[in-house]
Amino acid sequence: MPTKSKPKKNKKILVIVESPAKAKTIEKYLGRNYRVIASKGHIRDLPKSQMGIDFDNNYQPKYISIRGKGDTIKELKAEAKKAKEVYLASDPDREGEAIAWHVAHALNLDDTAKNRVTFNEVTKDAVKNSFKHPRAIDMDTVDAQQARRILDRIVGYSLSPILWDKVKKGLSAGRVQSVALKLVIDREKEIKDFKPQEYWTIEAEFKKGRKQFKSQFWGVDGKKQELPNNDAVQAVLAKITKDQYFEVSQVVKSERRRQPAAPFTTSTLQQEANKRLNYRTRRTMSIAQQLYEGISLGKQGTVGLITYMRTDSKRTSPVAQAEASKFLNEKYGQEYAAKGQRHFKNKQDAQDAHEAIRPTSVYRTPESLKSVLTTEQYRLYKLIWSRFLASEMTPAVYDTVRADIQQNGVIFRTTGSQMKFPGFTKVYDNQQEKNVELPDLTEGDLVKLDKSDNKQHFTLPPARYTEASLVRSLEENGVGRPSTYAPTIDTIQRRYYVKLEGKAIVPTELGEIVDDLIEKFFPDIVSVDFTAQLENDLDSVEAGKKNWVKVIDDYYHPFKKELDRADADIKKVQIKDEPAGFNCDICGAPMVIKMGRYGKFYACSRFPDCRNTKAIVKKVGVTCPKCGKGDVVEKKSKRNRKFYGCSRYPECDFVSWDKPINRVCPNDGHFLIEKKTKKGLIVQCPNGDYKEEPKDEAMAK
């Protein structure tokens, strides 16, 4: 009997993406003729053990397979060998283009073939449509990524050995991170050097009939006047007769329109998520990645809920705008939908490679997805959805009135504002304006001064950076690009060059030492303008206007001169141990305060013969209210949140998120705590209703 030959299996089309989560989603969209697998990020990079750059051969990089990626590369090669065609579908940015190029090299694919597909959103239509328009790998974009990687390697691997030798083992420095650190340290210097200026205000309360309204002193005899001191205040008050009426001398009524903000870019998303949701920049990007790659929606399958989240463009597609307009007309009425297409102006150096961050469909409302999203995913998706929808809505309209109230040449000014039409604020309001209602005032009306209050103030120093404001500063200065903000901030924290106090980013002593050394010997590296220009040069490489080798060459030669001078001139920095003021409880030798990777700690001066160490704790001057023996000390949780506990832990397990004080509640005898509020520090009892008036936090310190 003749043997039956096995039916030949149809060869499948192989698609290579970056992440396994995205691979599953895309394979469902493309169908059974496709096989989708993930490279799991980069598969080749510069070696960790050496510089990996051939300086004598136009800075050619010496790429090797990344350790641990052997099995992934084997799988990619095996699948490519039996595939009908291979498509490279990594992310639509520089890193994604470079990953596609590295994969093509590993699989011996022709990098001039039209096998590169990109999509801005992981939805069925977007993915399928991308395969109708494949293109070749964009080598200009690859060269821009290569140039950045090589420059960062040159800086990092040149500076780090100097820091190890001159300051401390284990330190490292980076190109963009050094600029971020300098921004933080410069702000701290501004705060320390700040000299407060005194100024005064006079707030008056007037009555028209039974209605009261507040007003601020504006000026004298038609000219605006500042109040630098109490003498100036008394000179103004001397002109006023309290028993006499004031006259409404001018009333200006107008209509004000407030326009919605643009949909999110990477930078603005990180800022708003930090301010509104208290998410760290890295956490924001991690959640956004999940929303982009796809969430299982039950019967609908896995769907990408937002567009690509690394972008500095404010542009949105006409299709998305049309869908938003339809949704707004159906849900809120035509008066809420913007007339015509709205265009938001990009910043000058925006790459505009793809759209702003938006939902892939506004009909997938946050509430409809609440059951399938985690709490973090839901909150971030709601923020993105609301911001985009608001950007396609009509302005909020306010009726405003400004009135000048005068007596003997002294002018008080009052302003009122009433919302006339909510417009976009019905969905998303990033300012939360309050209505200020005034009585009906007309010129010539007489009003009575009920009371006045003159207050002394002092100008405040600039605030410390938060993650949100540091991202904004990096973007405004043209330092880094959307994909670099989160890792840059994360890196300077992990290296303990800065630390978080609440939301504020504070430089450490170690960070100041490193910054001082780099600023002195490598001024270009920490120069904001120089770094911004380099970013522009990399953009020019991507646009095909500059040669990547020339860009590196122009940067490297001046840097090499600085490097040679620094190696010869930098003296070893001694981070001296400070006496701790007590002896080691193991060997009796004096304890000292040392600088470690995660800050200062107590250690025995006989190290390494004696390895006794202790954490440094800050006493708050209160005896433990639970055991009465230990001291209440300030501690940090795993998430870097401040809390208070007993120094005798674990013998005593007293713990409090709020700072206890040396007083007890007059009602029930429970210890009182200090709590931070927007108005200042309040003292209250955790058990009851007892509460004291807020006091100024600066005075409390």
Side-chain angles (χ1 to χ4, degrees):
M1 283 180 68
T3 56
K4 289 184 179 180
S5 59
K6 290 182 181 179
K8 285 186 178 180
K9 286 185 178 179
N10 288 332
K11 286 190 172 184
K12 292 189 176 185
I13 296 170
L14 180 66
V15 180
I16 300 171
V17 297
E18 284 183 48
S19 85
K22 205 195 311 185
K24 289 178 185 176
T25 309
I26 292 169
E27 192 164 77
K28 288 176 185 175
Y29 294 159
L30 293 174
R32 61 185 180 183
N33 292 328
Y34 288 80
R35 170 92 167 102
V36 185
I37 59 175
S39 69
K40 300 170 189 172
H42 278 279
I43 60 170
R44 293 200 310 161
D45 196 10
L46 299 171
K48 285 188 175 181
S49 58
Q50 54 179 277
M51 180 73 78
I53 297 162
D54 188 347
F55 288 91
D56 298 325
N57 186 23
N58 288 332
Y59 308 100
Q60 287 302 310
K62 300 173 185 175
Y63 291 119
I64 61 167
S65 299
I66 295 172
R67 182 177 291 179
K69 285 295 182 79
D71 290 342
T72 301
I73 295 170
K74 275 183 191 175
E75 183 190 12
L76 291 172
K77 286 181 176 178
E79 292 292 343
K81 199 171 183 180
K82 60 187 181 185
K84 181 180 176 183
E85 290 179 80
V86 180
Y87 285 98
L88 307 169
S90 44
D91 286 345
D93 58 8
R94 282 183 195 166
E95 289 297 320
E97 205 69 22
I99 288 171
W101 179 68
H102 285 301
V103 170
H105 184 276
L107 304 185
N108 293 317
L109 302 178
D110 180 2
D111 55 19
T112 63
K114 291 188 175 181
N115 60 0
R116 174 83 169 112
V117 292
T118 59
F119 32 84
N120 194 43
E121 56 188 71
V122 186
T123 57
K124 193 170 187 177
D125 289 344
V127 170
K128 284 199 158 188
N129 190 54
S130 69
F131 281 84
K132 295 176 184 175
H133 309 284
R135 59 170 173 80
I137 292 170
D138 185 342
M139 286 309 299
D140 289 332
T141 303
V142 172
D143 287 344
Q145 189 276 342
Q146 277 200 119
R148 175 186 284 279
R149 185 75 188 92
I150 291 167
L151 283 168
D152 288 346
R153 171 56 65 95
I154 289 172
V155 172
Y157 274 45
S158 299
L159 288 187
S160 297
I162 290 177
L163 294 178
W164 299 343
D165 182 45
K166 307 295 184 180
V167 184
K168 190 173 179 293
K169 286 246 185 232
L171 296 184
S172 56
R175 190 176 56 82
V176 177
Q177 296 95 316
S178 297
V179 180
L181 176 61
K182 178 173 169 54
L183 288 172
V184 172
I185 288 174
D186 284 352
R187 176 61 58 87
E188 197 69 16
K189 287 175 182 174
E190 279 184 67
I191 293 168
K192 286 177 182 174
D193 295 342
F194 180 79
K195 291 183 172 55
Q197 300 293 315
E198 180 186 9
Y199 71 99
W200 289 68
T201 57
I202 306 173
E203 189 176 87
E205 208 165 276
F206 292 98
K207 262 188 180 179
K208 183 187 178 185
R210 292 186 176 182
K211 289 190 176 179
Q212 289 185 317
F213 62 97
K214 289 181 179 178
S215 188
Q216 292 274 351
F217 168 74
W218 182 81
V220 177
D221 296 332
K223 292 181 181 177
K224 185 169 174 59
Q225 183 173 307
E226 303 297 331
L227 299 172
N229 49 48
N230 191 34
D231 290 342
V233 172
Q234 296 308 318
V236 169
L237 295 177
K239 295 175 182 283
I240 297 171
T241 306
K242 283 195 174 183
D243 297 336
Q244 285 184 9
Y245 281 95
F246 279 68
E247 182 185 356
V248 178
S249 59
Q250 186 184 49
V251 177
V252 179
K253 292 182 179 179
S254 61
E255 186 181 88
R256 179 168 59 87
R257 290 173 172 266
R258 215 177 101 212
Q259 299 291 341
F264 284 126
T265 62
T266 302
S267 163
T268 54
L269 175 63
Q270 289 173 352
Q271 291 170 50
E272 281 296 287
N274 186 259
K275 287 188 280 189
R276 287 183 172 232
L277 309 179
N278 205 25
Y279 291 174
R280 304 274 293 276
T281 51
R282 183 170 281 277
R283 189 75 193 124
T284 297
M285 295 311 290
S286 173
I287 301 164
Q289 183 92 29
Q290 295 161 19
L291 296 173
Y292 165 68
E293 290 182 348
I295 302 292
S296 176
L297 304 183
K299 290 181 181 179
Q300 295 178 55
T302 303
V303 178
L305 298 182
I306 65 169
T307 53
Y308 194 54
M309 64 288 161
R310 293 187 181 92
T311 175
D312 53 8
S313 173
K314 297 174 185 174
R315 175 178 56 81
T316 53
S317 74
V319 174
Q321 290 180 332
E323 187 189 57
S325 180
K326 184 183 175 189
F327 177 86
L328 289 166
N329 275 282
E330 292 169 357
K331 175 93 172 169
Y332 298 106
Q334 62 178 8
E335 67 271 24
Y336 283 93
K339 307 297 183 284
Q341 288 188 358
R342 177 167 273 144
H343 299 282
F344 293 95
K345 191 177 179 182
N346 282 329
K347 64 188 182 74
Q348 193 173 359
D349 56 351
Q351 295 174 52
D352 201 35
H354 26 258
E355 293 184 62
I357 304 168
R358 61 165 176 83
T360 52
S361 173
V362 290
Y363 282 93
R364 283 191 278 269
T365 63
E367 290 308 315
S368 71
L369 299 174
K370 198 167 187 179
S371 61
V372 297
L373 298 176
T374 66
T375 302
E376 286 187 322
Q377 288 170 344
Y378 168 75
R379 294 177 75 199
L380 191 67
Y381 180 72
K382 186 178 180 182
L383 192 69
I384 294 167
W385 184 90
S386 303
R387 174 88 163 218
F388 168 67
L389 195 63
S391 74
E392 293 299 319
M393 293 175 73
T394 48
V397 183
Y398 298 84
D399 281 332
T400 64
V401 60
R402 190 194 80 208
D404 286 351
I405 298 151
Q406 187 170 255
Q407 186 202 90
N408 299 329
V410 176
I411 302 168
F412 285 83
R413 178 166 285 180
T414 187
T415 56
S417 177
Q418 286 285 108
M419 182 179 279
K420 187 177 182 179
F421 177 68
F424 74 90
T425 63
K426 202 166 184 74
V427 171
Y428 178 93
D429 191 358
N430 57 335
Q431 290 186 25
Q432 302 290 333
E433 279 193 39
K434 290 181 180 177
N435 285 335
V436 180
E437 195 171 351
L438 296 177
D440 188 24
L441 298 173
T442 56
E443 290 178 15
D445 280 350
L446 297 177
V447 295
K448 187 160 183 63
L449 177 64
D450 191 37
K451 60 181 178 181
S452 65
D453 186 18
N454 41 300
K455 290 181 179 177
Q456 181 187 37
H457 308 271
F458 290 93
T459 53
L460 296 173
R464 281 172 168 158
Y465 281 112
T466 61
E467 288 196 355
S469 59
L470 184 54
V471 166
R472 185 171 65 247
S473 185
L474 288 170
E475 184 187 39
E476 286 173 351
N477 286 295
V479 175
R481 284 299 178 259
S483 61
T484 65
Y485 301 137
T488 294
I489 292 172
D490 186 61
T491 299
I492 59 175
Q493 289 177 34
R494 282 190 293 102
R495 289 175 179 165
Y496 199 67
Y497 295 161
V498 302
K499 60 183 178 181
L500 285 182
E501 290 186 1
K503 278 191 173 185
I505 300 176
V506 183
T508 63
E509 183 182 343
L510 184 61
E512 289 174 347
I513 290 169
V514 170
D515 175 72
D516 185 60
L517 187 148
I518 294 175
E519 186 169 12
K520 187 174 179 182
F521 290 94
F522 304 95
D524 284 345
I525 285 177
V526 289
S527 165
V528 169
D529 292 340
F530 185 85
T531 306
Q533 182 55 51
L534 183 56
E535 295 290 357
N536 291 334
D537 289 342
L538 292 173
D539 291 345
S540 296
V541 171
E542 183 172 358
K545 295 176 182 176
K546 283 195 175 184
N547 177 272
W548 71 273
V549 174
K550 178 77 164 58
V551 169
I552 294 176
D553 204 51
D554 289 346
Y555 183 92
Y556 177 68
H557 285 296
F559 174 68
K560 181 69 169 66
K561 288 178 182 176
E562 290 177 345
L563 203 62
D564 293 340
R565 183 173 66 90
D567 198 35
D569 293 355
I570 295 178
K571 294 178 180 176
K572 197 169 181 69
V573 177
Q574 292 288 336
I575 303 178
K576 293 181 180 177
D577 297 336
E578 304 169 42
F582 61 94
N583 293 334
C584 175
D585 51 12
I586 293 177
C587 70
M591 293 288 278
V592 293
I593 299 172
K594 284 185 174 288
M595 171 72 77
R597 185 178 177 185
Y598 300 107
K600 292 183 176 181
F601 64 97
Y602 293 127
C604 181
S605 57
R606 290 183 61 244
F607 177 86
D609 297 325
C610 176
R611 294 180 174 269
N612 184 23
T613 61
K614 289 185 178 183
I616 295 177
V617 292
K618 182 180 174 183
K619 295 181 182 179
V620 300
V622 177
T623 303
C624 176
K626 187 168 184 177
C627 69
K629 297 177 182 177
D631 295 307
V632 175
V633 295
E634 188 181 289
K635 298 184 176 184
K636 289 283 182 72
S637 71
K638 287 181 180 178
R639 294 193 173 187
N640 211 35
R641 185 179 169 188
K642 191 187 293 184
F643 71 98
Y644 301 89
C646 181
S647 60
R648 293 180 63 246
Y649 178 84
E651 287 85 1
C652 175
D653 62 357
F654 168 77
V655 68
S656 170
W657 287 115
D658 300 299
K659 183 179 176 182
I661 63 171
N662 254 332
R663 286 167 50 209
V664 295
C665 175
N667 296 339
D668 63 4
H670 192 281
F671 68 88
L672 295 175
I673 58 169
E674 274 185 354
K675 203 171 185 71
K676 283 186 177 182
T677 69
K678 288 182 179 178
K679 295 180 180 178
L681 285 173
I682 62 168
V683 173
Q684 68 178 51
C685 176
N687 282 350
D689 296 331
Y690 180 77
K691 187 184 289 186
E692 295 177 4
E693 286 297 311
K695 58 182 177 178
D696 187 287
E697 199 173 326
M699 294 291 288
K701 288 177 183 176

